[in-house]
Every structure is written in structure tokens, then in C-alpha cells.
Amino acid sequence: MSKTNPGNYFEDFRVGQVIEHATPRTVTDGDRALYGALYPTRFAIPSAASFAASVGLEAWPVEELVGFHIAFGKTVPDVSLNAVANLGYAELRFHRPVVPGDTLSTRSEVIGLKQNSNGKTGVVHVRSTATNQRGEVAIDWARWVMVHKRDVDAPAPETVAPDLAQVVAPADLPVPAGLDFTGYDFVAAGEPHRYGDYELGERIDHVDGVTLTDSEHMMATRLWQNTAKVHFNVDARPDGKRLIYGGHIISMARALSFNGLANAQLIAAINGGSHVAPAFAGDTVHAWTEVLDKAELDAPGVGALRLRLVATRGRDESMTLRGQDGKYADGVLLDLDLWALVPR
């Protein structure tokens, strides 16, 4: 009997199945340092303990996406080890800040299945929940991933499509305990722009770009203990390329968005997201953002901006999301819809 784990294939999943993922992971200050080495991030709260304290946070959190990548990585051996690609996200909420010393554990429930028409792959929907060492929910989200079948002749399961919300309602946005932006230091944060300076429909070209390398994306993916074959093994894809982990593109785009959105300090939720096209070493990632909605929250001095963050291969000064045919424009890598907390 084999003692190794070949990963689950499409026919191994069933709706209602609950998976307790192995190897809990304790967050350290090393994660903060490596995240800053991998991505050009400069947001003040995760960068400076003094700034975090000045806005009422009891402990100095790491960036939200550090927690997400760690929690996501736990799911890979059971959900997406044999994936073709991770396709998208919905209903992702950051319920509480993650701080060094927190230990994250993740469990997932299969909430949807659909075999593709080629009979060789299928799409698996899961809802995952990451809890800390006190059993408190830190992050939860739904995602869908395309997974290979082990046996192309295996019968297709009944199609189940989950009903997922298109947007997290402002009233349901998590706000960290004690957060208070009334004494916000705009000089230290790096930009003067506050809630009222952003208009619905406004588009912001973040200008800067970063060229992807195999060494950096593989280091990042290993940091999160993400074992998906397509990110490391050139034999896993017919083209012999290492696919960049989609979360690497999310973090790169978020970091690039600092230029123009430096005061979008905390991500409260991700409403939805699509990895529109694959990215590979040598691609240069740029980003732009569209303001979709705004909401005033009960926390003192805090507002929320609903933002469409778009990552592109090369800079698109026209900031075009879709062509006249309604399809994504060439070069779009990521379309991410999120809520960020900003000073009012």
C-alpha cells in the first residue's frame, strides 16, 4: 500500500464532503519580512508597529494576504494538487487581523461540482475556513478550481452550482476591534487622499510594474507551503512552463496599488476574483483600479471603498477591462473585486 499522497482528482470529490487540512502553520515576523522582500508593499499599518498602534490596533498585524496565502496553501494538497488552474474566489472575508504568533488551521467543504465538456477535467467549488489557535475564524472564502480526472471514463457527477453572493454587503464587512482613523497620520502613510477624494467610476493607473521571475514566485509559493505541481514541475504542463501561482499576482497587484491608494490600508473582503489568463516568468505585471462603490462605516473615521483591482501583462494606459465583444481584453491577468478600509 502506497504511503504517498497523489492528491485528489475530480472524481474523488463529492458535494458535502468536509476536509480537515493538515499541518497548521504559525505566523512569524519572518513571514512579514519575506512578504516585503517578495512584493513592493508599503502600506503603513503592516509596515510600522507605531502606525498600527496609532489607529487603535492592539497588536501589529501582518498584511491580510499573508494570512490568506498561508490558509490557502493548507488546502492545496487536498483540493488543487492536481489542478489545471485556480479559477476564482467569492465571499472572502478577513474577520480579524492575523498577527505573529497566530497559528492558522484550515478546513474546506465541497459545495459544487461540474464536469467539463471535454470529459478530462472538472470544476470543484469549495468553501474554506481558517481559524486561529483560539478557534476564532480568521478568514473564510469560496473558490473554484479546475481539476484533472484520474479516469476519463469515470461517470460525471450530478452538476451542483453553489449560490454565491456577488458582493459582501457593507453592513457585513469585518472591521478590526478598536480601529479608529480620526487621528490618521497622512504624512506617515504617504498620500493625502481620503474617502471623499475618490469618485465612483474613477480609474487609477498605478504606473509601476514588476517583471516576474521563476525564482521569486517559487520562493513565494513554497513560503505558503503551496504544493501544486504546476508551479514547480515543468513536466506538469504540456508547454513545459511553471505557472505563476495566482495569489502571487494578487499580492503583486495589491502592492503596486499603493501608488494612488496608499490609504486603502486594510482589505476587509474580496467580493470576487478571476484569474483571467496565466502568467509566467518574464511577464511584467502592472495594475490599475476602478472605484466601484463607497460606504461609510460605524468605526470612527473609517470608510470603505469597493475597488476593482486589475493586473495586466504590460502597462495598459487605456485601462481597458473588456473588448467590444464583452470578453476580457488581451493582457488582463487578474480581475479582483474587493473592499478596502480607508480614512474618511
Side-chain angles (χ1 to χ4, degrees):
M1 181 178 178
S2 174
K3 292 182 172 62
T4 58
N5 173 26
N8 289 316
Y9 289 83
F10 179 69
E11 59 265 44
D12 296 323
F13 294 99
R14 65 185 187 278
V15 173
Q17 178 182 2
V18 175
I19 305 169
E20 300 286 350
H21 303 295
T23 61
R25 170 90 143 70
T26 300
V27 181
T28 70
D29 278 316
D31 293 306
R32 188 197 308 277
L34 278 172
Y35 191 89
L38 290 163
Y39 307 108
T41 182
R42 290 176 285 163
F43 294 98
I45 287 177
S47 293
S50 57
F51 194 98
S54 76
V55 296
L57 298 184
E58 183 177 346
W60 182 25
V62 296
E63 290 217 22
E64 295 85 1
L65 292 173
V66 170
F68 172 69
H69 291 316
I70 289 173
F72 182 99
K74 301 294 97 185
T75 72
V76 170
D78 301 308
V79 174
S80 49
L81 191 64
N82 296 306
V84 180
N86 191 55
L87 300 177
Y89 312 90
E91 300 181 357
L92 195 163
R93 291 187 295 171
F94 296 96
H95 290 271
R96 52 183 36 82
V98 173
V99 302
D102 281 348
T103 298
L104 298 179
S105 302
T106 311
R107 69 193 298 269
S108 296
E109 179 181 358
V110 179
I111 58 173
L113 291 172
K114 182 182 185 299
Q115 181 167 300
N116 291 328
S117 58
N118 63 14
K120 299 178 181 179
T121 59
V123 176
V124 181
H125 286 76
V126 297
R127 186 180 300 281
S128 301
T129 303
T131 54
N132 61 24
Q133 68 276 17
R134 295 178 294 276
E136 300 163 336
V137 175
I139 310 165
D140 62 0
W141 71 97
R143 72 158 168 144
W144 48 103
V145 57
M146 188 186 303
V147 180
H148 288 290
K149 291 184 69 176
R150 179 190 296 106
D151 177 6
V152 296
D153 295 322
E158 178 184 357
T159 296
V160 175
D163 183 17
L164 299 173
Q166 290 189 336
V167 62
V168 176
D172 295 330
L173 292 178
V175 177
L179 188 68
D180 183 344
F181 280 164
T182 54
Y184 189 91
D185 186 341
F186 288 89
V187 173
E191 285 182 355
H193 316 302
R194 62 176 74 220
Y195 178 85
D197 296 323
Y198 293 93
E199 298 180 0
L200 299 187
E202 178 181 0
R203 293 192 175 189
I204 303 161
D205 179 359
H206 299 300
V207 181
D208 307 306
V210 174
T211 301
L212 302 172
T213 68
D214 267 336
S215 60
E216 287 180 331
H217 93 79
M218 288 192 295
M219 180 186 294
T221 310
R222 286 198 177 103
L223 177 65
W224 317 128
Q225 298 177 329
N226 181 330
T227 56
K229 301 170 186 177
V230 290
H231 303 318
F232 304 102
N233 186 345
V234 296
D235 295 330
R237 288 175 54 91
D239 59 11
K241 294 182 178 180
R242 299 178 184 90
L243 178 70
I244 304 288
Y245 163 48
H248 192 67
I249 305 301
I250 292 175
S251 279
M252 194 64 73
R254 165 68 173 161
L256 292 171
S257 75
F258 177 90
N259 192 348
L261 280 166
N263 295 319
Q265 285 287 349
L266 300 169
I267 302 175
I270 295 176
N271 301 304
S274 297
H275 295 293
V276 176
F280 302 98
D283 291 342
T284 298
V285 177
H286 285 258
W288 57 268
T289 293
E290 179 183 5
V291 180
L292 299 178
D293 200 358
K294 302 170 68 173
E296 295 189 8
L297 304 181
D298 291 337
V302 179
L305 296 179
R306 183 182 171 195
L307 305 169
R308 164 169 275 143
L309 176 60
V310 179
T312 59
R313 182 185 295 108
R315 186 179 175 194
D316 177 14
E317 295 184 50
S318 66
M319 293 180 280
T320 302
L321 183 66
R322 297 180 184 273
Q324 292 183 344
D325 59 2
K327 297 180 179 179
Y328 281 106
D330 289 342
V332 174
L333 298 172
L334 171 74
D335 179 10
L336 195 69
D337 180 337
L338 62 91
W339 283 105
L341 305 184
V342 300
R344 284 195 272 117

